[in-house]
PDB file of all heavy atoms in Angstrom:
ATOM      1  N   PHE A   8     102.949  66.878 -15.590  1.00 91.00           N
ATOM      2  CA  PHE A   8     103.714  67.630 -14.605  1.00 91.00           C
ATOM      3  C   PHE A   8     104.974  68.268 -15.189  1.00 91.00           C
ATOM      4  O   PHE A   8     105.295  69.410 -14.887  1.00 91.00           O
ATOM      5  CB  PHE A   8     104.085  66.766 -13.393  1.00 91.00           C
ATOM      6  CG  PHE A   8     104.938  67.506 -12.410  1.00 91.00           C
ATOM      7  CD1 PHE A   8     104.393  68.494 -11.609  1.00 91.00           C
ATOM      8  CD2 PHE A   8     106.298  67.244 -12.299  1.00 91.00           C
ATOM      9  CE1 PHE A   8     105.173  69.212 -10.717  1.00 91.00           C
ATOM     10  CE2 PHE A   8     107.089  67.950 -11.414  1.00 91.00           C
ATOM     11  CZ  PHE A   8     106.524  68.930 -10.613  1.00 91.00           C
ATOM     12  N   GLU A   9     105.701  67.532 -16.030  1.00 91.00           N
ATOM     13  CA  GLU A   9     106.928  68.081 -16.599  1.00 91.00           C
ATOM     14  C   GLU A   9     106.649  69.360 -17.386  1.00 91.00           C
ATOM     15  O   GLU A   9     107.391  70.340 -17.290  1.00 91.00           O
ATOM     16  CB  GLU A   9     107.656  67.050 -17.483  1.00 91.00           C
ATOM     17  CG  GLU A   9     108.395  65.983 -16.700  1.00 91.00           C
ATOM     18  CD  GLU A   9     107.472  64.895 -16.143  1.00 91.00           C
ATOM     19  OE1 GLU A   9     106.300  64.777 -16.588  1.00 91.00           O
ATOM     20  OE2 GLU A   9     107.922  64.172 -15.235  1.00 91.00           O
ATOM     21  N   ASP A  10     105.562  69.342 -18.168  1.00 92.00           N
ATOM     22  CA  ASP A  10     105.187  70.550 -18.921  1.00 92.00           C
ATOM     23  C   ASP A  10     104.814  71.686 -17.975  1.00 92.00           C
ATOM     24  O   ASP A  10     105.208  72.838 -18.196  1.00 92.00           O
ATOM     25  CB  ASP A  10     104.013  70.255 -19.864  1.00 92.00           C
ATOM     26  CG  ASP A  10     104.399  69.336 -21.009  1.00 92.00           C
ATOM     27  OD1 ASP A  10     105.597  69.308 -21.374  1.00 92.00           O
ATOM     28  OD2 ASP A  10     103.509  68.646 -21.540  1.00 92.00           O
ATOM     29  N   PHE A  11     104.059  71.355 -16.939  1.00 91.00           N
ATOM     30  CA  PHE A  11     103.699  72.365 -15.940  1.00 91.00           C
ATOM     31  C   PHE A  11     104.962  72.964 -15.330  1.00 91.00           C
ATOM     32  O   PHE A  11     105.101  74.181 -15.217  1.00 91.00           O
ATOM     33  CB  PHE A  11     102.820  71.740 -14.846  1.00 91.00           C
ATOM     34  CG  PHE A  11     102.625  72.638 -13.654  1.00 91.00           C
ATOM     35  CD1 PHE A  11     101.657  73.637 -13.671  1.00 91.00           C
ATOM     36  CD2 PHE A  11     103.427  72.497 -12.521  1.00 91.00           C
ATOM     37  CE1 PHE A  11     101.490  74.478 -12.578  1.00 91.00           C
ATOM     38  CE2 PHE A  11     103.261  73.331 -11.440  1.00 91.00           C
ATOM     39  CZ  PHE A  11     102.283  74.333 -11.464  1.00 91.00           C
ATOM     40  N   GLN A  12     105.890  72.102 -14.947  1.00 88.00           N
ATOM     41  CA  GLN A  12     107.115  72.557 -14.298  1.00 88.00           C
ATOM     42  C   GLN A  12     107.946  73.445 -15.233  1.00 88.00           C
ATOM     43  O   GLN A  12     108.482  74.464 -14.803  1.00 88.00           O
ATOM     44  CB  GLN A  12     107.934  71.354 -13.833  1.00 88.00           C
ATOM     45  CG  GLN A  12     109.049  71.718 -12.897  1.00 88.00           C
ATOM     46  CD  GLN A  12     109.760  70.495 -12.349  1.00 88.00           C
ATOM     47  OE1 GLN A  12     109.687  69.412 -12.919  1.00 88.00           O
ATOM     48  NE2 GLN A  12     110.450  70.683 -11.248  1.00 88.00           N
ATOM     49  N   LYS A  13     108.028  73.091 -16.495  1.00 89.00           N
ATOM     50  CA  LYS A  13     108.774  73.910 -17.461  1.00 89.00           C
ATOM     51  C   LYS A  13     108.106  75.270 -17.635  1.00 89.00           C
ATOM     52  O   LYS A  13     108.762  76.306 -17.658  1.00 89.00           O
ATOM     53  CB  LYS A  13     108.862  73.204 -18.812  1.00 89.00           C
ATOM     54  CG  LYS A  13     109.856  72.081 -18.855  1.00 89.00           C
ATOM     55  CD  LYS A  13     109.837  71.391 -20.213  1.00 89.00           C
ATOM     56  CE  LYS A  13     110.645  70.114 -20.170  1.00 89.00           C
ATOM     57  NZ  LYS A  13     110.444  69.300 -21.375  1.00 89.00           N
ATOM     58  N   THR A  14     106.792  75.256 -17.768  1.00 90.00           N
ATOM     59  CA  THR A  14     106.049  76.490 -17.997  1.00 90.00           C
ATOM     60  C   THR A  14     106.149  77.448 -16.807  1.00 90.00           C
ATOM     61  O   THR A  14     106.293  78.654 -16.982  1.00 90.00           O
ATOM     62  CB  THR A  14     104.561  76.183 -18.271  1.00 90.00           C
ATOM     63  OG1 THR A  14     104.485  75.282 -19.373  1.00 90.00           O
ATOM     64  CG2 THR A  14     103.777  77.443 -18.580  1.00 90.00           C
ATOM     65  N   TYR A  15     106.097  76.902 -15.611  1.00 85.00           N
ATOM     66  CA  TYR A  15     106.043  77.752 -14.408  1.00 85.00           C
ATOM     67  C   TYR A  15     107.308  77.678 -13.556  1.00 85.00           C
ATOM     68  O   TYR A  15     107.286  78.028 -12.381  1.00 85.00           O
ATOM     69  CB  TYR A  15     104.806  77.391 -13.575  1.00 85.00           C
ATOM     70  CG  TYR A  15     103.529  77.637 -14.338  1.00 85.00           C
ATOM     71  CD1 TYR A  15     102.814  76.589 -14.894  1.00 85.00           C
ATOM     72  CD2 TYR A  15     103.069  78.934 -14.540  1.00 85.00           C
ATOM     73  CE1 TYR A  15     101.660  76.816 -15.619  1.00 85.00           C
ATOM     74  CE2 TYR A  15     101.918  79.173 -15.259  1.00 85.00           C
ATOM     75  CZ  TYR A  15     101.213  78.111 -15.800  1.00 85.00           C
ATOM     76  OH  TYR A  15     100.072  78.361 -16.520  1.00 85.00           O
ATOM     77  N   ARG A  16     108.415  77.272 -14.158  1.00 79.00           N
ATOM     78  CA  ARG A  16     109.677  77.135 -13.429  1.00 79.00           C
ATOM     79  C   ARG A  16     110.041  78.417 -12.667  1.00 79.00           C
ATOM     80  O   ARG A  16     110.449  78.377 -11.522  1.00 79.00           O
ATOM     81  CB  ARG A  16     110.812  76.760 -14.370  1.00 79.00           C
ATOM     82  CG  ARG A  16     112.155  76.601 -13.673  1.00 79.00           C
ATOM     83  CD  ARG A  16     113.252  76.139 -14.594  1.00 79.00           C
ATOM     84  NE  ARG A  16     112.955  74.923 -15.330  1.00 79.00           N
ATOM     85  CZ  ARG A  16     112.998  73.688 -14.825  1.00 79.00           C
ATOM     86  NH1 ARG A  16     113.313  73.510 -13.568  1.00 79.00           N
ATOM     87  NH2 ARG A  16     112.737  72.646 -15.577  1.00 79.00           N
ATOM     88  N   SER A  17     109.864  79.553 -13.296  1.00 72.00           N
ATOM     89  CA  SER A  17     110.241  80.824 -12.658  1.00 72.00           C
ATOM     90  C   SER A  17     109.337  81.157 -11.469  1.00 72.00           C
ATOM     91  O   SER A  17     109.687  81.983 -10.625  1.00 72.00           O
ATOM     92  CB  SER A  17     110.200  81.962 -13.672  1.00 72.00           C
ATOM     93  OG  SER A  17     108.884  82.175 -14.126  1.00 72.00           O
ATOM     94  N   GLU A  18     108.187  80.519 -11.390  1.00 76.00           N
ATOM     95  CA  GLU A  18     107.238  80.767 -10.306  1.00 76.00           C
ATOM     96  C   GLU A  18     107.500  79.878  -9.088  1.00 76.00           C
ATOM     97  O   GLU A  18     106.980  80.131  -8.015  1.00 76.00           O
ATOM     98  CB  GLU A  18     105.801  80.494 -10.777  1.00 76.00           C
ATOM     99  CG  GLU A  18     105.418  81.160 -12.067  1.00 76.00           C
ATOM    100  CD  GLU A  18     105.269  82.656 -11.941  1.00 76.00           C
ATOM    101  OE1 GLU A  18     105.037  83.144 -10.830  1.00 76.00           O
ATOM    102  OE2 GLU A  18     105.383  83.339 -12.969  1.00 76.00           O
ATOM    103  N   MET A  19     108.265  78.829  -9.297  1.00 71.00           N
ATOM    104  CA  MET A  19     108.435  77.818  -8.259  1.00 71.00           C
ATOM    105  C   MET A  19     109.706  78.068  -7.460  1.00 71.00           C
ATOM    106  O   MET A  19     110.646  78.686  -7.950  1.00 71.00           O
ATOM    107  CB  MET A  19     108.425  76.431  -8.885  1.00 71.00           C
ATOM    108  CG  MET A  19     107.132  76.179  -9.649  1.00 71.00           C
ATOM    109  SD  MET A  19     107.049  74.588 -10.408  1.00 71.00           S
ATOM    110  CE  MET A  19     106.398  73.644  -9.055  1.00 71.00           C
ATOM    111  N   ILE A  20     109.716  77.569  -6.243  1.00 63.00           N
ATOM    112  CA  ILE A  20     110.888  77.699  -5.387  1.00 63.00           C
ATOM    113  C   ILE A  20     111.549  76.342  -5.249  1.00 63.00           C
ATOM    114  O   ILE A  20     110.888  75.316  -5.230  1.00 63.00           O
ATOM    115  CB  ILE A  20     110.526  78.294  -4.010  1.00 63.00           C
ATOM    116  CG1 ILE A  20     109.384  77.536  -3.362  1.00 63.00           C
ATOM    117  CG2 ILE A  20     110.192  79.756  -4.132  1.00 63.00           C
ATOM    118  CD1 ILE A  20     109.002  78.022  -2.022  1.00 63.00           C
ATOM    119  N   GLU A  21     112.843  76.356  -5.151  1.00 57.00           N
ATOM    120  CA  GLU A  21     113.611  75.114  -5.148  1.00 57.00           C
ATOM    121  C   GLU A  21     113.952  74.621  -3.748  1.00 57.00           C
ATOM    122  O   GLU A  21     114.040  73.447  -3.505  1.00 57.00           O
ATOM    123  CB  GLU A  21     114.919  75.316  -5.939  1.00 57.00           C
ATOM    124  CG  GLU A  21     114.701  75.663  -7.398  1.00 57.00           C
ATOM    125  CD  GLU A  21     114.021  74.565  -8.178  1.00 57.00           C
ATOM    126  OE1 GLU A  21     114.286  73.374  -7.918  1.00 57.00           O
ATOM    127  OE2 GLU A  21     113.209  74.888  -9.058  1.00 57.00           O
ATOM    128  N   SER A  22     114.184  75.524  -2.827  1.00 56.00           N
ATOM    129  CA  SER A  22     114.701  75.106  -1.523  1.00 56.00           C
ATOM    130  C   SER A  22     113.587  74.692  -0.571  1.00 56.00           C
ATOM    131  O   SER A  22     112.409  74.815  -0.869  1.00 56.00           O
ATOM    132  CB  SER A  22     115.495  76.261  -0.898  1.00 56.00           C
ATOM    133  OG  SER A  22     114.605  77.268  -0.472  1.00 56.00           O
ATOM    134  N   GLY A  23     113.998  74.218   0.609  1.00 61.00           N
ATOM    135  CA  GLY A  23     113.054  73.843   1.645  1.00 61.00           C
ATOM    136  C   GLY A  23     112.548  75.045   2.421  1.00 61.00           C
ATOM    137  O   GLY A  23     111.876  74.895   3.428  1.00 61.00           O
ATOM    138  N   ASP A  24     112.892  76.247   1.981  1.00 66.00           N
ATOM    139  CA  ASP A  24     112.477  77.459   2.677  1.00 66.00           C
ATOM    140  C   ASP A  24     111.210  78.061   2.074  1.00 66.00           C
ATOM    141  O   ASP A  24     111.054  79.273   2.015  1.00 66.00           O
ATOM    142  CB  ASP A  24     113.609  78.493   2.661  1.00 66.00           C
ATOM    143  CG  ASP A  24     114.792  78.063   3.503  1.00 66.00           C
ATOM    144  OD1 ASP A  24     114.611  77.198   4.383  1.00 66.00           O
ATOM    145  OD2 ASP A  24     115.886  78.594   3.293  1.00 66.00           O
ATOM    146  N   SER A  25     110.300  77.216   1.631  1.00 82.00           N
ATOM    147  CA  SER A  25     109.068  77.714   1.017  1.00 82.00           C
ATOM    148  C   SER A  25     108.262  78.563   1.999  1.00 82.00           C
ATOM    149  O   SER A  25     107.541  79.463   1.588  1.00 82.00           O
ATOM    150  CB  SER A  25     108.222  76.553   0.506  1.00 82.00           C
ATOM    151  OG  SER A  25     107.950  75.643   1.552  1.00 82.00           O
ATOM    152  N   PHE A  26     108.441  78.309   3.294  1.00 87.00           N
ATOM    153  CA  PHE A  26     107.722  79.098   4.294  1.00 87.00           C
ATOM    154  C   PHE A  26     108.126  80.566   4.223  1.00 87.00           C
ATOM    155  O   PHE A  26     107.311  81.443   4.497  1.00 87.00           O
ATOM    156  CB  PHE A  26     107.937  78.535   5.709  1.00 87.00           C
ATOM    157  CG  PHE A  26     109.347  78.668   6.218  1.00 87.00           C
ATOM    158  CD1 PHE A  26     109.757  79.800   6.885  1.00 87.00           C
ATOM    159  CD2 PHE A  26     110.257  77.643   6.033  1.00 87.00           C
ATOM    160  CE1 PHE A  26     111.051  79.923   7.355  1.00 87.00           C
ATOM    161  CE2 PHE A  26     111.554  77.748   6.488  1.00 87.00           C
ATOM    162  CZ  PHE A  26     111.956  78.899   7.159  1.00 87.00           C
ATOM    163  N   VAL A  27     109.375  80.854   3.842  1.00 87.00           N
ATOM    164  CA  VAL A  27     109.855  82.241   3.730  1.00 87.00           C
ATOM    165  C   VAL A  27     109.060  82.963   2.646  1.00 87.00           C
ATOM    166  O   VAL A  27     108.547  84.066   2.861  1.00 87.00           O
ATOM    167  CB  VAL A  27     111.376  82.280   3.400  1.00 87.00           C
ATOM    168  CG1 VAL A  27     111.837  83.706   3.114  1.00 87.00           C
ATOM    169  CG2 VAL A  27     112.192  81.659   4.516  1.00 87.00           C
ATOM    170  N   VAL A  28     108.934  82.330   1.507  1.00 86.00           N
ATOM    171  CA  VAL A  28     108.209  82.910   0.379  1.00 86.00           C
ATOM    172  C   VAL A  28     106.735  83.065   0.744  1.00 86.00           C
ATOM    173  O   VAL A  28     106.132  84.120   0.508  1.00 86.00           O
ATOM    174  CB  VAL A  28     108.370  82.034  -0.884  1.00 86.00           C
ATOM    175  CG1 VAL A  28     107.508  82.548  -2.022  1.00 86.00           C
ATOM    176  CG2 VAL A  28     109.832  81.965  -1.289  1.00 86.00           C
ATOM    177  N   TYR A  29     106.163  82.046   1.348  1.00 88.00           N
ATOM    178  CA  TYR A  29     104.748  82.093   1.715  1.00 88.00           C
ATOM    179  C   TYR A  29     104.476  83.213   2.721  1.00 88.00           C
ATOM    180  O   TYR A  29     103.524  83.985   2.559  1.00 88.00           O
ATOM    181  CB  TYR A  29     104.303  80.741   2.283  1.00 88.00           C
ATOM    182  CG  TYR A  29     102.844  80.694   2.641  1.00 88.00           C
ATOM    183  CD1 TYR A  29     101.863  80.876   1.672  1.00 88.00           C
ATOM    184  CD2 TYR A  29     102.443  80.472   3.954  1.00 88.00           C
ATOM    185  CE1 TYR A  29     100.515  80.847   1.992  1.00 88.00           C
ATOM    186  CE2 TYR A  29     101.098  80.433   4.279  1.00 88.00           C
ATOM    187  CZ  TYR A  29     100.143  80.622   3.301  1.00 88.00           C
ATOM    188  OH  TYR A  29      98.812  80.599   3.619  1.00 88.00           O
ATOM    189  N   PHE A  30     105.321  83.341   3.738  1.00 91.00           N
ATOM    190  CA  PHE A  30     105.131  84.393   4.736  1.00 91.00           C
ATOM    191  C   PHE A  30     105.167  85.770   4.069  1.00 91.00           C
ATOM    192  O   PHE A  30     104.309  86.612   4.325  1.00 91.00           O
ATOM    193  CB  PHE A  30     106.201  84.296   5.832  1.00 91.00           C
ATOM    194  CG  PHE A  30     105.917  85.185   7.004  1.00 91.00           C
ATOM    195  CD1 PHE A  30     105.102  84.763   8.031  1.00 91.00           C
ATOM    196  CD2 PHE A  30     106.442  86.462   7.077  1.00 91.00           C
ATOM    197  CE1 PHE A  30     104.808  85.580   9.121  1.00 91.00           C
ATOM    198  CE2 PHE A  30     106.174  87.292   8.157  1.00 91.00           C
ATOM    199  CZ  PHE A  30     105.352  86.847   9.175  1.00 91.00           C
ATOM    200  N   ARG A  31     106.119  85.970   3.195  1.00 90.00           N
ATOM    201  CA  ARG A  31     106.244  87.268   2.513  1.00 90.00           C
ATOM    202  C   ARG A  31     105.040  87.551   1.619  1.00 90.00           C
ATOM    203  O   ARG A  31     104.575  88.690   1.536  1.00 90.00           O
ATOM    204  CB  ARG A  31     107.540  87.334   1.723  1.00 90.00           C
ATOM    205  CG  ARG A  31     108.744  87.443   2.645  1.00 90.00           C
ATOM    206  CD  ARG A  31     110.036  87.570   1.895  1.00 90.00           C
ATOM    207  NE  ARG A  31     111.138  87.615   2.845  1.00 90.00           N
ATOM    208  CZ  ARG A  31     112.349  87.185   2.582  1.00 90.00           C
ATOM    209  NH1 ARG A  31     112.647  86.681   1.405  1.00 90.00           N
ATOM    210  NH2 ARG A  31     113.292  87.262   3.505  1.00 90.00           N
ATOM    211  N   GLU A  32     104.542  86.512   0.951  1.00 89.00           N
ATOM    212  CA  GLU A  32     103.348  86.679   0.104  1.00 89.00           C
ATOM    213  C   GLU A  32     102.153  87.145   0.941  1.00 89.00           C
ATOM    214  O   GLU A  32     101.444  88.070   0.559  1.00 89.00           O
ATOM    215  CB  GLU A  32     102.964  85.358  -0.566  1.00 89.00           C
ATOM    216  CG  GLU A  32     103.715  85.026  -1.803  1.00 89.00           C
ATOM    217  CD  GLU A  32     103.228  83.710  -2.432  1.00 89.00           C
ATOM    218  OE1 GLU A  32     102.253  83.102  -1.923  1.00 89.00           O
ATOM    219  OE2 GLU A  32     103.839  83.300  -3.420  1.00 89.00           O
ATOM    220  N   VAL A  33     101.950  86.479   2.065  1.00 91.00           N
ATOM    221  CA  VAL A  33     100.800  86.830   2.912  1.00 91.00           C
ATOM    222  C   VAL A  33     100.967  88.236   3.479  1.00 91.00           C
ATOM    223  O   VAL A  33     100.011  89.018   3.497  1.00 91.00           O
ATOM    224  CB  VAL A  33     100.594  85.781   4.035  1.00 91.00           C
ATOM    225  CG1 VAL A  33      99.501  86.214   4.995  1.00 91.00           C
ATOM    226  CG2 VAL A  33     100.251  84.425   3.426  1.00 91.00           C
ATOM    227  N   LEU A  34     102.184  88.572   3.912  1.00 93.00           N
ATOM    228  CA  LEU A  34     102.428  89.931   4.420  1.00 93.00           C
ATOM    229  C   LEU A  34     102.110  90.975   3.357  1.00 93.00           C
ATOM    230  O   LEU A  34     101.491  91.998   3.659  1.00 93.00           O
ATOM    231  CB  LEU A  34     103.888  90.098   4.843  1.00 93.00           C
ATOM    232  CG  LEU A  34     104.297  89.677   6.232  1.00 93.00           C
ATOM    233  CD1 LEU A  34     105.711  90.150   6.532  1.00 93.00           C
ATOM    234  CD2 LEU A  34     103.347  90.157   7.288  1.00 93.00           C
ATOM    235  N   GLN A  35     102.556  90.710   2.147  1.00 92.00           N
ATOM    236  CA  GLN A  35     102.319  91.648   1.048  1.00 92.00           C
ATOM    237  C   GLN A  35     100.818  91.804   0.790  1.00 92.00           C
ATOM    238  O   GLN A  35     100.335  92.923   0.619  1.00 92.00           O
ATOM    239  CB  GLN A  35     103.038  91.155  -0.203  1.00 92.00           C
ATOM    240  CG  GLN A  35     103.043  92.149  -1.329  1.00 92.00           C
ATOM    241  CD  GLN A  35     103.876  91.661  -2.507  1.00 92.00           C
ATOM    242  OE1 GLN A  35     104.152  90.467  -2.648  1.00 92.00           O
ATOM    243  NE2 GLN A  35     104.273  92.577  -3.361  1.00 92.00           N
ATOM    244  N   GLU A  36     100.080  90.703   0.790  1.00 92.00           N
ATOM    245  CA  GLU A  36      98.630  90.764   0.582  1.00 92.00           C
ATOM    246  C   GLU A  36      97.941  91.578   1.670  1.00 92.00           C
ATOM    247  O   GLU A  36      96.951  92.246   1.420  1.00 92.00           O
ATOM    248  CB  GLU A  36      98.038  89.355   0.565  1.00 92.00           C
ATOM    249  CG  GLU A  36      98.335  88.571  -0.675  1.00 92.00           C
ATOM    250  CD  GLU A  36      97.847  87.121  -0.578  1.00 92.00           C
ATOM    251  OE1 GLU A  36      97.051  86.797   0.331  1.00 92.00           O
ATOM    252  OE2 GLU A  36      98.291  86.305  -1.409  1.00 92.00           O
ATOM    253  N   LYS A  37      98.471  91.500   2.887  1.00 94.00           N
ATOM    254  CA  LYS A  37      97.847  92.180   4.026  1.00 94.00           C
ATOM    255  C   LYS A  37      98.444  93.566   4.270  1.00 94.00           C
ATOM    256  O   LYS A  37      98.079  94.237   5.236  1.00 94.00           O
ATOM    257  CB  LYS A  37      97.964  91.306   5.269  1.00 94.00           C
ATOM    258  CG  LYS A  37      97.187  90.000   5.097  1.00 94.00           C
ATOM    259  CD  LYS A  37      97.370  89.060   6.249  1.00 94.00           C
ATOM    260  CE  LYS A  37      96.765  87.712   5.988  1.00 94.00           C
ATOM    261  NZ  LYS A  37      95.341  87.646   6.026  1.00 94.00           N
TER     262      LYS A  37
END
């Protein structure tokens, strides 16, 4: 996991607002 986290750190979100990112991703796809 630590290696995964280092490799994809820029892809991950830190806050509890992951729903914001997810909503925007789905909107963009649609």
